[in-house]
Amino acid sequence: MTKNKPKAEGQRDEAEGQDGGWGWVLVGALFVSTSLVFGLMRSLGIFFVEFVQYFEESAQAISWISSTGLAAQQFFSPLGAALCNAYDARVVVMTGGCLAGLGLILASQATCLVHLYLTMGVISGLGWGLVFTPMVATVMANFTRRRALALGLGFSSIGLSSFAFNPLFQLLVEVFAWRGALLILGGLSLNIVPCGALIRPKRRSKSPEKINSESKPRASILHRVSSHLELSLLFERPYITYTLAVTLLNVGYFVPYFHLVAHSRQAGFSEYQAAFVMSAAGATDILGRVASGWFSDLGHFRLLHLLSIWTTLAGVFIMLLPVSSLSGSYPALMVISLLYGFCSGALTSLVFAVVPMIVGVARVMGALGLLQLIESGAGLLGAPLSGFLKDVTGNYIASFMVAGSFLILGTLTMATLPHYFSCKDPPPPQRPSPEDKDKSLQSEVEPSVTERSVI
Amino acid sequence: MNLLWAVGALLLSCWQASASTGPKIITDPPEVSNQTSAVLSCNLTESNLPIKGSHWVYNGKIIEDSKSTDASPSTVLRLEKITHSSGGKYECVFETEPEVKGTIEVKTLPHVGAYKHSEHGNEKDKGVMVCVSHGYPLPTDWTWFKEEDGTQKPFINGTTTKFEIKSTPNKTTLTINELSMEEDIGDYTCSGTNELGTSSDKIHLRVRSRLAALWPFLGIVAEVIILVTIIFIYEKRRKPDEINDGMKSNSNANHKDKNVRQRNSN
């Protein structure tokens, strides 16, 4: 009896898009791996104080470590996506986990700053890049109706883990010194490997290749590489528009994280008050991710419209931050920060969920990889730009205003997407395939998928 | 004779007049040293310039509460509680044409504090201890001591390569190379001296064995390996079922399966 049940469920699950069951296990895996990638990245600040003291370098030189790590993660994302398309997502994620752990383990033996750039920056960054995009794409492929909620739950780990990791890392550094702490962190990062192991391996990886080799007998390596990387996406206007919008978003998105504490201190609040403002924003961030994921899946509005609303609100609140703090009132600053935290968390769970609507579920892996790569430039641009504005004007008002305006600019860019103002999602574009059979069947199946997600 | 007296008196009065055209500020007290509170006062004398007001300046910045538009030639600033952060140069400024200033220096004992009261380092690695100072005037001399058998043993820079002391007026750093667990664990004291006196603070140094972090690390690696093994074993158990599923659906609904596959291929 028990043997027969899983069989039947397996068949039903496949037909319905697997909204449940093993999908939630994968959400758990996404939760853990995202916390070990981004939560860890965000809590590395604890080590910087130690590095500044030990290596006797400037804070700017030390901060390049985390910039390199983040840039490597985003730069290698298309590589991760391509490898998943070519081989198996499971192997890629497990390899990424090993690399991330290896980078941190090697970093614990570093004797000069360059070692840290290479290990914590490049190697771990490469590992993180091979982990994040494949995990997100896998979860998205396993959900249709509850996609945004699944992503929201998965990404809520970032806020929770940076909340938990900060005191944990401080404790590790105090007990084991930074070398020992980095070694233990390397071990913790290896926990990504079991998360990757939970991804079910591709079962019939042979058949699509057979089809490909039948129809394209002389497919060159370049052609295959470009199809794995989904480079054809770069020529499609909707995708380019959306990528541009997300890039603009990223320029302004990180500014409050870098500068809110310094700005609050400058406005006259004490260290604890400033730190508490950040913690409160982080708490509402977590709430925003889950709430927005749940609400979006109810289907009352198009995901794209909801994303535009959250982005605009977040931009407005960023602009209001300096206004509220300069008025001198702590409750005002607190309220605006809470609202900002909620909106920025809300938009995070939707940014990736919108991608399948634009490029179709089949190309999500490559689309996410390219998106991460292109938006990496924005992240590198945003913080130095706001720092430069602060140096020029003497306070943070200009930085926050510019950051908020970038978010609003991103929303306006999104408004130029085709069919933006219609109430229903348009059918997503299909992957050009040599077989007519597949084409006609795809157009049968895909619209029904999108109809369900709108309802 | 009378003419001589008259000339003499005229010269005297001229001299007095020329001497008194320079405005003078009398500061009281001229300097504040090591007091818990003080009343600083300035008196503008020998000046018939109109006074539009007065204010006090502390370390180059105007003290907002001290601004006054009184035309009075004397001004007073009360320092209720003098701590190391209120030491410095206080200037009373009378708003005349041109401005007249007087300076009172408020000197306190240096305030010496350690960045971190508990420092740690790895065996054979280097340990760094830092002390900073606030106040006025800043310490001119820094010394480091180690508590050994109840006495303080001073460090002298340059005698061995094991220790290195780098000092600036507001910060001092003691670096110990090649930490050893037997010799270097203990309490260290940094002390800064300025013209008024000395202040110090204590730091406790702990030396961790290099392998201390290895055990938790190996524990975590073991946990990871166990988890991965469990997942693979669980999957091997389910695999026979899934292969049957795949073959069935292959034969029955070929085209449907293909679309589903494409959806799942990410």
Side-chain angles (χ1 to χ4, degrees):
Chain A
M1 270 311 273
T2 43
K3 259 199 194 171
N4 287 332
K5 255 194 188 167
K7 264 195 229 176
E9 272 176 10
Q11 275 183 328
R12 240 189 298 127
D13 277 351
E14 286 209 41
E16 275 182 343
Q18 290 183 347
D19 244 45
W22 197 251
W24 293 114
V25 175
L26 285 179
V27 170
L30 179 68
F31 187 93
V32 173
S33 53
T34 313
S35 71
L36 286 172
V37 172
F38 285 111
L40 197 131
M41 251 200 262
R42 284 201 191 173
S43 308
L44 284 181
I46 304 280
F47 286 96
F48 291 170
V49 180
E50 301 292 319
F51 291 155
V52 168
Q53 203 171 315
Y54 184 85
F55 291 105
E56 289 171 9
E57 295 273 357
S58 73
Q60 196 179 33
I62 302 284
S63 69
W64 269 107
I65 301 175
S66 99
S67 306
T68 316
L70 183 64
Q73 183 261 321
Q74 289 175 321
F75 184 76
F76 289 118
S77 281
L79 177 68
L83 286 173
C84 286
N85 278 330
Y87 304 107
D88 194 358
R90 176 190 245 198
V91 174
V92 175
V93 175
M94 287 174 77
T95 315
C98 289
L99 279 174
L102 184 70
L104 287 171
I105 293 171
L106 288 176
S108 71
Q109 307 301 315
T111 49
C112 69
L113 202 54
V114 178
H115 291 172
L116 285 178
Y117 291 149
L118 288 175
T119 54
M120 269 172 86
V122 178
I123 300 181
S124 287
L126 170 62
W128 293 328
L130 291 181
V131 166
F132 183 63
T133 305
M135 285 292 323
V136 172
T138 310
V139 167
M140 287 215 281
N142 273 286
F143 283 88
T144 35
R145 225 180 299 163
R146 299 262 189 88
R147 200 175 276 153
L149 177 62
L151 285 182
L153 281 174
F155 291 152
S156 66
S157 67
I158 300 180
L160 286 169
S161 61
S162 58
F163 194 70
F165 280 173
N166 268 309
L168 176 67
F169 288 8
Q170 186 64 47
L171 182 70
L172 284 177
V173 165
E174 286 203 3
V175 174
F176 295 110
W178 64 266
R179 287 187 193 273
L182 277 180
L183 188 66
I184 293 179
L185 279 191
L188 278 179
S189 292
L190 286 177
N191 276 300
I192 295 176
V193 178
C195 294
L198 285 171
I199 302 175
R200 284 204 180 139
K202 271 192 208 166
R203 273 174 264 137
R204 22 87 247 108
S205 49
K206 295 213 183 118
S207 15
E209 280 186 32
K210 255 199 234 162
I211 296 167
N212 280 341
S213 58
E214 274 171 24
S215 53
K216 304 178 209 159
R218 280 176 292 266
S220 64
I221 298 225
L222 205 63
H223 191 85
R224 273 178 63 213
V225 164
S226 106
S227 86
H228 285 318
L229 282 171
E230 306 284 6
L231 286 177
S232 58
L233 282 171
L234 290 176
F235 298 109
E236 286 178 26
R237 197 188 134 229
Y239 181 70
I240 287 287
T241 319
Y242 187 68
T243 312
L244 186 64
V246 174
T247 310
L248 288 170
L249 214 150
N250 266 293
V251 176
Y253 179 78
F254 291 106
V255 168
Y257 287 109
F258 289 132
H259 294 308
L260 187 56
V261 176
H263 173 65
S264 317
R265 299 268 305 275
Q266 205 182 41
F269 299 111
S270 79
E271 295 170 350
Y272 287 111
Q273 285 177 314
F276 191 59
V277 164
M278 271 315 290
S279 308
T284 48
D285 182 290
I286 300 169
L287 199 64
R289 282 169 206 249
V290 180
S292 127
W294 168 81
F295 180 70
S296 323
D297 283 326
L298 292 179
H300 297 305
F301 300 99
R302 266 180 78 185
L303 288 184
L304 198 57
H305 291 162
L306 282 175
L307 179 62
S308 316
I309 294 174
W310 294 126
T311 321
T312 317
L313 282 178
V316 165
F317 288 133
I318 292 184
M319 285 182 165
L320 284 179
L321 273 172
V323 171
S324 67
S325 61
L326 284 179
S327 70
S329 146
Y330 187 62
L333 178 65
M334 196 52 136
V335 166
I336 301 279
S337 303
L338 289 172
L339 290 170
Y340 157 73
F342 190 83
C343 293
S344 86
L347 75 89
T348 316
S349 28
L350 293 180
V351 166
F352 293 126
V354 171
V355 174
M357 306 284 171
I358 299 177
V359 302
V361 186
R363 298 195 286 178
V364 156
M365 180 77 79
L368 282 182
L370 287 175
L371 180 65
Q372 288 264 294
L373 173 65
I374 297 174
E375 73 179 9
S376 68
L380 284 176
L381 176 67
L385 176 67
S386 65
F388 168 72
L389 283 172
K390 188 251 169 186
D391 288 334
V392 165
T393 61
N395 55 32
Y396 290 100
I397 300 180
S399 321
F400 280 104
M401 288 292 172
V402 168
S405 60
F406 267 110
L407 271 125
I408 296 185
L409 205 63
T411 315
L412 292 174
T413 313
M414 268 194 274
T416 65
L417 279 168
H419 303 291
Y420 181 76
F421 293 103
S422 67
C423 283
K424 258 198 185 181
D425 277 312
Q430 285 108 33
R431 175 192 254 159
S433 126
E435 273 125 348
D436 292 334
K437 220 204 290 181
D438 272 0
K439 246 194 211 166
S440 55
L441 287 164
Q442 269 184 349
S443 47
E444 267 177 32
V445 177
E446 296 282 16
S448 59
V449 168
T450 49
E451 269 174 28
R452 247 188 285 148
S453 59
V454 166
I455 294 166
Chain B
M1 205 45 153
N2 276 342
L3 195 60
L4 268 172
W5 272 116
V7 169
L10 192 64
L11 279 172
L12 198 64
S13 63
C14 274
W15 172 77
Q16 267 193 352
S18 64
S20 65
T21 45
K24 266 201 224 148
I25 296 192
I26 299 176
T27 54
D28 175 46
E31 196 182 85
V32 176
S33 288
N34 211 3
Q35 287 176 318
T36 46
S37 68
V39 175
L40 309 175
S41 71
C42 289
N43 259 322
L44 182 65
T45 55
E46 298 176 33
S47 160
N48 42 15
L49 298 168
I51 302 171
K52 288 181 225 146
S54 62
H55 59 261
W56 287 83
V57 171
Y58 172 52
N59 282 343
K61 274 167 73 179
I62 298 179
I63 304 175
E64 291 295 326
D65 295 336
S66 66
K67 276 192 185 162
S68 114
T69 44
D70 261 345
S72 140
S74 86
T75 176
V76 162
L77 182 73
R78 271 176 224 284
L79 296 175
E80 300 287 332
K81 193 167 166 210
I82 299 182
T83 59
H84 58 90
S85 51
S86 35
K89 281 196 180 147
Y90 287 85
E91 290 177 323
C92 57
V93 180
F94 286 99
E95 286 156 28
T96 52
E97 292 292 333
E99 268 189 359
V100 189
K101 289 189 201 175
T103 310
I104 303 179
E105 286 184 327
V106 175
K107 297 186 179 171
T108 61
L109 275 177
H111 177 258
V112 168
Y115 258 178
K116 284 166 31 172
H117 284 104
S118 168
E119 286 278 2
H120 51 78
N122 273 324
E123 222 182 346
K124 300 270 178 3
D125 208 358
K126 68 178 185 190
V128 178
M129 287 176 279
V130 182
C131 277
V132 289
S133 159
H134 306 285
Y136 180 87
L138 286 172
T140 44
D141 277 309
W142 286 100
T143 3
W144 283 90
F145 299 95
K146 179 168 195 275
E147 272 186 36
E148 243 174 68
D149 310 319
T151 59
Q152 308 258 20
K153 194 191 83 172
F155 288 117
I156 306 160
N157 211 1
T159 42
T160 54
T161 50
K162 190 150 154 90
F163 306 108
E164 203 184 307
I165 300 181
K166 282 191 210 155
S167 300
T168 61
N170 59 354
K171 187 162 113 158
T172 181
T173 312
L174 171 66
T175 310
I176 308 182
N177 298 311
E178 300 264 338
L179 287 174
S180 100
M181 283 185 81
E182 302 85 48
E183 294 173 9
D184 295 321
I185 293 185
D187 287 312
Y188 291 77
T189 310
C190 60
S191 91
T193 312
N194 72 357
E195 62 186 63
L196 288 183
T198 309
S199 230
S200 57
D201 201 3
K202 248 202 254 194
I203 303 179
H204 181 72
L205 179 70
R206 285 181 303 173
V207 181
R208 272 274 157 189
S209 123
R210 210 152 195 172
L211 300 175
L214 200 59
W215 302 117
F217 171 70
L218 289 176
I220 296 177
V221 172
E223 167 245 327
V224 166
I225 294 177
I226 291 174
L227 276 179
V228 175
T229 317
I230 291 177
I231 292 173
F232 275 126
I233 290 178
Y234 177 69
E235 207 175 280
K236 280 246 162 77
R237 289 240 178 110
R238 290 197 60 182
K239 217 175 182 181
D241 296 343
E242 284 170 5
I243 290 178
N244 287 339
D245 272 349
M247 292 189 58
K248 260 196 188 172
S249 42
N250 244 336
S251 51
N252 290 341
N254 206 359
H255 50 277
K256 209 178 177 195
D257 214 31
K258 248 192 231 162
N259 290 323
V260 169
R261 274 195 222 129
Q262 276 176 340
R263 255 192 288 145
N264 291 339
S265 68
N266 307 312

